[in-house]
Amino acid sequence: MKPVAWMAAASGAAWILVTALLGDRVNPEAAWGIAGPLTSAIVSWVAYVRANQAAPERLTRVMITAFALKLMFFSVYVTAAMRVLHLRAAPFVVSFTSAFIALHAMEAFSLRRLVMGVMRSPSSERR
């Protein structure tokens, strides 16, 4: 579960940096903009690892299901952020988009390592 720790640490560091540089001009929007993508990335990563451990051939199906669930989650999340929490659009959209891209890139690289670890042959591991 190292990727989860890296995602959380990177998100926390990004929020601290943005808060230190811009302060109240971007908060609480920056925090909410990071929280949604972080939650999505952590939940999906845990699902991917569990599926890969249980039955690697099911991983693609789990990823497709996660994609559909993320579409629904982000639709509700962004709508709630704008209409219920009344967050300012510009700082929220910038932090949300940045966190979304960064965290899903981290998830993609971690997923590649996870899948490549399964594909290694026993003979290559002895070297």
Side-chain angles (χ1 to χ4, degrees):
M1 290 294 171
K2 275 187 181 180
V4 169
W6 279 107
M7 287 184 239
S11 296
W15 179 75
I16 289 170
L17 179 64
V18 167
T19 300
L21 293 174
L22 301 172
D24 289 340
R25 292 185 291 173
V26 295
N27 275 317
E29 288 81 5
W32 285 106
I34 293 170
L38 177 61
T39 302
S40 168
I42 289 173
V43 170
S44 61
W45 179 254
V46 170
Y48 299 159
V49 169
R50 288 183 180 170
N52 192 59
Q53 289 172 342
E57 65 277 3
R58 288 187 16 219
L59 183 58
T60 302
R61 186 177 310 156
V62 170
M63 291 173 63
I64 291 168
T65 303
F67 178 75
L69 292 172
K70 284 179 184 185
L71 284 174
M72 291 185 283
F73 169 72
F74 285 127
S75 298
V76 171
Y77 185 78
V78 171
T79 301
M82 296 287 95
R83 295 197 175 163
V84 176
L85 298 176
H86 303 289
L87 298 177
R88 293 169 291 171
F92 175 77
V93 169
V94 169
S95 65
F96 179 88
T97 304
S98 301
F100 182 89
I101 292 168
L103 289 165
H104 283 84
M106 291 175 76
E107 193 175 358
F109 286 117
S110 299
L111 189 59
R112 182 177 186 274
R113 291 187 72 180
L114 179 72
V115 171
M116 293 306 288
V118 169
M119 293 175 64
R120 286 191 197 127
S121 67
S123 61
S124 67
E125 291 179 2
R126 285 187 230 145
R127 292 180 194 173

